[in-house]
Amino acid sequence: SYVLTQPPSVSVAPGHTAWMTCGGDKIGSNSVHWYQQKPGQAPVLVVHDDDDRPSGIPERFSGSNSGNTATLIINGVEAEDEAVYYCQVWDSSGDPVLFGGGTKLTVL
Amino acid sequence: VQLVQSGADVKRPGASVKVACKASGYAFTGNFIHWVRQAPGQGLEWMGWMNPNSGGTIYSKKFEGRVTLTRDKSTTTAYMELTRLTSDDTAVYFCARGSGDFPPFGHWGQGTLVVVSS
Protein backbone atom coordinates (compact mmCIF):
# COMPACT_ATOMS: atom_id res chain seq x y z
CA SER A 1 0.00 0.00 0.00
CA TYR A 2 1.00 3.60 -0.50
CA VAL A 3 3.13 5.23 2.21
CA LEU A 4 3.71 8.92 2.93
CA THR A 5 6.96 9.71 4.71
CA GLN A 6 7.47 12.89 6.74
CA PRO A 7 10.50 13.80 8.88
CA PRO A 8 9.55 13.71 12.56
CA SER A 9 10.82 17.20 13.31
CA VAL A 10 11.98 20.46 11.77
CA SER A 11 13.39 23.44 13.65
CA VAL A 12 13.61 27.00 12.39
CA ALA A 13 14.34 30.43 13.82
CA PRO A 14 11.64 33.10 13.71
CA GLY A 15 11.60 35.02 10.45
CA HIS A 16 13.33 32.24 8.54
CA THR A 17 11.85 29.76 6.06
CA ALA A 18 10.66 26.29 7.00
CA TRP A 19 10.46 23.45 4.50
CA MET A 20 8.58 20.31 5.46
CA THR A 21 8.63 17.39 3.06
CA CYS A 22 6.23 14.57 2.33
CA GLY A 23 7.70 11.69 0.36
CA GLY A 24 5.77 9.13 -1.65
CA ASP A 25 6.15 7.13 -4.84
CA LYS A 26 5.29 9.47 -7.74
CA ILE A 27 3.49 11.77 -5.30
CA GLY A 28 3.78 14.50 -7.93
CA SER A 29 0.90 12.82 -9.76
CA ASN A 30 -1.36 13.20 -6.69
CA SER A 31 -2.95 16.25 -5.17
CA VAL A 32 -1.45 16.86 -1.73
CA HIS A 33 -3.17 18.61 1.14
CA TRP A 34 -1.52 19.94 4.30
CA TYR A 35 -2.97 20.33 7.79
CA GLN A 36 -1.66 22.19 10.82
CA GLN A 37 -2.49 20.80 14.25
CA LYS A 38 -1.76 22.53 17.53
CA PRO A 39 -1.95 20.68 20.87
CA GLY A 40 -5.48 19.88 21.95
CA GLN A 41 -7.01 21.24 18.74
CA ALA A 42 -8.50 19.81 15.59
CA PRO A 43 -6.39 19.97 12.42
CA VAL A 44 -6.66 23.04 10.22
CA LEU A 45 -6.26 22.91 6.45
CA VAL A 46 -3.43 25.27 5.45
CA VAL A 47 -2.68 24.22 1.85
CA HIS A 48 -4.79 22.16 -0.54
CA ASP A 49 -4.24 20.73 -4.00
CA ASP A 50 -0.48 21.11 -3.74
CA ASP A 51 -0.25 24.90 -3.59
CA ASP A 52 -3.60 26.58 -2.93
CA ARG A 53 -4.38 28.38 0.31
CA PRO A 54 -7.84 28.35 1.89
CA SER A 55 -9.25 31.75 2.73
CA GLY A 56 -7.93 33.03 6.03
CA ILE A 57 -4.60 31.22 5.81
CA PRO A 58 -1.63 33.63 5.80
CA GLU A 59 0.25 34.14 2.55
CA ARG A 60 3.45 32.85 4.16
CA PHE A 61 2.09 29.29 3.69
CA SER A 62 2.69 27.74 0.28
CA GLY A 63 3.35 24.34 -1.24
CA SER A 64 4.96 22.50 -4.10
CA ASN A 65 4.74 18.97 -5.43
CA SER A 66 6.91 17.20 -7.97
CA GLY A 67 8.40 13.78 -8.54
CA ASN A 68 8.50 11.86 -5.27
CA THR A 69 8.34 14.83 -2.88
CA ALA A 70 5.73 17.35 -1.85
CA THR A 71 6.82 20.31 0.26
CA LEU A 72 5.05 22.70 2.59
CA ILE A 73 6.87 26.03 2.79
CA ILE A 74 6.41 28.64 5.48
CA ASN A 75 8.14 31.93 4.68
CA GLY A 76 8.93 34.21 7.60
CA VAL A 77 8.02 31.69 10.28
CA GLU A 78 6.27 33.08 13.33
CA ALA A 79 6.04 31.65 16.83
CA GLU A 80 2.35 30.83 16.27
CA ASP A 81 3.33 28.45 13.46
CA GLU A 82 4.74 25.97 15.95
CA ALA A 83 2.59 22.87 15.43
CA VAL A 84 2.51 19.42 13.85
CA TYR A 85 1.96 19.40 10.10
CA TYR A 86 0.40 16.47 8.24
CA CYS A 87 0.32 15.80 4.53
CA GLN A 88 -2.59 13.89 3.02
CA VAL A 89 -3.35 12.34 -0.36
CA TRP A 90 -6.03 10.32 -2.06
CA ASP A 91 -4.80 6.75 -2.61
CA SER A 92 -6.62 4.64 -5.19
CA SER A 93 -4.67 1.48 -4.32
CA GLY A 94 -5.61 1.06 -0.67
CA ASP A 95 -7.58 3.03 1.88
CA PRO A 96 -8.54 6.12 -0.11
CA VAL A 97 -7.62 8.76 2.47
CA LEU A 98 -4.01 8.58 3.59
CA PHE A 99 -2.10 10.80 6.03
CA GLY A 100 1.61 11.12 6.55
CA GLY A 101 3.03 10.58 10.01
CA GLY A 102 3.39 14.30 10.71
CA THR A 103 6.27 16.73 11.23
CA LYS A 104 6.61 18.73 14.42
CA LEU A 105 7.74 22.26 13.61
CA THR A 106 9.66 23.91 16.43
CA VAL A 107 10.21 27.66 16.28
CA LEU A 108 13.48 28.36 18.07
CA VAL B 1 -20.45 25.31 8.84
CA GLN B 2 -20.21 23.71 12.26
CA LEU B 3 -19.54 20.14 13.34
CA VAL B 4 -20.12 19.69 17.07
CA GLN B 5 -19.27 16.36 18.63
CA SER B 6 -20.48 14.58 21.72
CA GLY B 7 -18.49 14.62 24.92
CA ALA B 8 -15.69 12.42 26.19
CA ASP B 9 -16.42 8.84 27.13
CA VAL B 10 -14.82 6.05 29.13
CA LYS B 11 -15.43 2.45 28.16
CA ARG B 12 -14.39 -0.99 29.38
CA PRO B 13 -12.48 -3.32 27.05
CA GLY B 14 -14.89 -5.29 24.91
CA ALA B 15 -17.56 -2.60 25.02
CA SER B 16 -18.80 -0.37 22.20
CA VAL B 17 -18.80 3.40 21.84
CA LYS B 18 -20.98 5.67 19.73
CA VAL B 19 -19.79 9.20 18.97
CA ALA B 20 -22.13 11.85 17.58
CA CYS B 21 -21.32 14.68 15.17
CA LYS B 22 -24.03 17.35 14.92
CA ALA B 23 -23.80 19.28 11.64
CA SER B 24 -25.20 22.76 11.08
CA GLY B 25 -24.81 25.73 8.78
CA TYR B 26 -25.09 23.78 5.53
CA ALA B 27 -27.23 21.20 3.75
CA PHE B 28 -26.47 18.03 5.72
CA THR B 29 -27.04 15.69 2.79
CA GLY B 30 -24.78 17.66 0.48
CA ASN B 31 -21.36 16.42 1.67
CA PHE B 32 -19.91 13.13 2.87
CA ILE B 33 -18.88 12.98 6.52
CA HIS B 34 -15.51 11.38 7.27
CA TRP B 35 -14.15 10.07 10.55
CA VAL B 36 -10.51 10.35 11.58
CA ARG B 37 -8.94 9.25 14.84
CA GLN B 38 -5.75 10.14 16.68
CA ALA B 39 -4.24 8.01 19.42
CA PRO B 40 -2.33 9.87 22.16
CA GLY B 41 0.88 11.32 20.74
CA GLN B 42 0.24 9.71 17.36
CA GLY B 43 -0.79 10.81 13.89
CA LEU B 44 -4.09 11.03 12.07
CA GLU B 45 -5.80 7.83 10.93
CA TRP B 46 -8.76 7.78 8.53
CA MET B 47 -11.57 5.43 9.53
CA GLY B 48 -14.21 5.82 6.84
CA TRP B 49 -16.86 7.99 5.23
CA MET B 50 -20.61 8.12 5.12
CA ASN B 51 -22.91 9.60 2.50
CA PRO B 52 -25.59 11.37 4.55
CA ASN B 53 -27.98 11.34 1.60
CA SER B 54 -28.00 7.62 0.85
CA GLY B 55 -26.47 6.26 4.04
CA GLY B 56 -23.80 4.54 1.95
CA THR B 57 -20.44 3.94 3.61
CA ILE B 58 -16.82 3.10 2.90
CA TYR B 59 -14.60 1.87 5.72
CA SER B 60 -10.87 1.62 6.19
CA LYS B 61 -9.75 -1.99 5.91
CA LYS B 62 -8.29 -1.66 9.41
CA PHE B 63 -11.69 -1.00 10.96
CA GLU B 64 -13.98 -2.98 8.68
CA GLY B 65 -16.17 -5.26 10.78
CA ARG B 66 -15.82 -3.12 13.91
CA VAL B 67 -16.97 0.33 12.78
CA THR B 68 -20.41 1.46 11.67
CA LEU B 69 -21.18 4.95 10.36
CA THR B 70 -24.79 6.08 10.40
CA ARG B 71 -26.80 9.27 10.34
CA ASP B 72 -30.10 10.78 11.40
CA LYS B 73 -31.23 13.22 8.74
CA SER B 74 -33.96 14.63 10.97
CA THR B 75 -31.39 15.90 13.48
CA THR B 76 -28.52 16.37 10.96
CA THR B 77 -26.31 14.18 13.10
CA ALA B 78 -23.73 11.64 11.99
CA TYR B 79 -22.63 8.78 14.23
CA MET B 80 -19.56 6.58 14.50
CA GLU B 81 -19.90 3.35 16.45
CA LEU B 82 -16.84 1.23 17.23
CA THR B 83 -17.25 -2.20 18.78
CA ARG B 84 -15.02 -4.69 20.62
CA LEU B 85 -12.93 -1.90 22.10
CA THR B 86 -9.38 -2.46 23.33
CA SER B 87 -6.91 -0.10 24.95
CA ASP B 88 -5.51 0.55 21.48
CA ASP B 89 -8.76 2.32 20.64
CA THR B 90 -8.05 5.04 23.22
CA ALA B 91 -7.95 8.10 20.98
CA VAL B 92 -9.56 11.37 19.98
CA TYR B 93 -12.15 10.78 17.28
CA PHE B 94 -12.88 13.57 14.78
CA CYS B 95 -15.61 14.01 12.21
CA ALA B 96 -14.67 16.07 9.16
CA ARG B 97 -15.95 17.17 5.78
CA GLY B 98 -14.64 18.86 2.70
CA SER B 99 -16.09 21.36 0.29
CA GLY B 100 -17.20 18.36 -1.76
CA ASP B 101 -17.51 14.71 -0.79
CA PHE B 102 -13.79 14.05 -0.46
CA PRO B 103 -10.66 15.68 0.94
CA PRO B 104 -9.35 18.20 1.57
CA PHE B 105 -11.11 18.53 4.90
CA GLY B 106 -11.84 22.18 5.50
CA HIS B 107 -14.19 21.56 8.40
CA TRP B 108 -13.57 19.46 11.50
CA GLY B 109 -15.42 18.68 14.68
CA GLN B 110 -13.70 19.54 17.94
CA GLY B 111 -12.88 15.90 18.63
CA THR B 112 -14.18 13.39 21.16
CA LEU B 113 -11.82 11.62 23.55
CA VAL B 114 -12.63 7.97 24.08
CA VAL B 115 -10.69 6.20 26.82
CA VAL B 116 -10.76 2.41 26.99
CA SER B 117 -9.71 1.20 30.40
CA SER B 118 -10.54 -1.55 32.82
Side-chain angles (χ1 to χ4, degrees), chain A residues 75-95:
Chain A
N75 287 300
V77 167
E78 300 184 3
E80 67 181 27
D81 300 331
E82 187 163 285
V84 179
Y85 291 84
Y86 295 93
C87 58
Q88 182 254 309
V89 300
W90 179 271
D91 174 29
S92 59
S93 65
D95 282 347

Side-chain angles (χ1 to χ4, degrees), chain A residues 33 35 37 40-45 47-49 86 88 90 93-101, chain B residues 34 36 38 42-46 49 58-62 94 102-106 108-111:
Chain A
H33 316 302
Y35 301 87
Q37 188 181 33
Q41 299 183 18
V44 172
L45 180 67
V47 167
H48 65 90
D49 297 294
Y86 295 93
Q88 182 254 309
W90 179 271
S93 65
D95 282 347
V97 179
L98 183 63
F99 290 95
Chain B
H34 297 249
V36 175
Q38 185 171 39
Q42 302 301 307
L44 302 172
E45 185 173 38
W46 179 79
W49 77 57
I58 293 289
Y59 300 126
S60 164
K61 292 177 181 57
K62 176 174 179 176
F94 295 98
F102 303 112
F105 300 133
W108 294 73
Q110 83 276 20

Side-chain angles (χ1 to χ4, degrees), chain B:
Chain B
V1 174
Q2 271 202 307
L3 301 171
V4 179
Q5 298 183 223
S6 49
D9 209 343
V10 180
K11 295 294 184 183
R12 300 290 192 200
S16 300
V17 69
K18 193 169 187 177
V19 177
C21 172
K22 164 75 173 172
S24 62
Y26 73 100
F28 179 64
T29 55
N31 302 83
F32 290 7
I33 295 282
H34 297 249
W35 290 85
V36 175
R37 81 173 187 182
Q38 185 171 39
Q42 302 301 307
L44 302 172
E45 185 173 38
W46 179 79
M47 300 180 70
W49 77 57
M50 188 266 306
N51 178 342
N53 189 37
S54 67
T57 54
I58 293 289
Y59 300 126
S60 164
K61 292 177 181 57
K62 176 174 179 176
F63 299 101
E64 218 155 33
R66 282 209 303 142
V67 68
T68 304
L69 303 182
T70 57
R71 89 296 192 206
D72 182 338
K73 287 198 279 188
S74 67
T75 61
T76 66
T77 301
Y79 298 94
M80 185 284 300
E81 182 173 26
L82 189 63
T83 62
R84 304 194 303 275
L85 294 170
T86 72
S87 56
D88 289 341
D89 295 314
T90 293
V92 176
Y93 291 78
F94 295 98
C95 58
R97 56 145 279 198
S99 56
D101 290 333
F102 303 112
F105 300 133
H107 304 282
W108 294 73
Q110 83 276 20
T112 297
L113 174 63
V114 175
V115 175
V116 183
S117 174
S118 56

Side-chain angles (χ1 to χ4, degrees), chain A residues 2 24-29 65-70:
Chain A
Y2 200 74
D25 186 40
K26 300 183 181 68
I27 195 173
S29 63
N65 186 16
S66 178
N68 294 322
T69 305

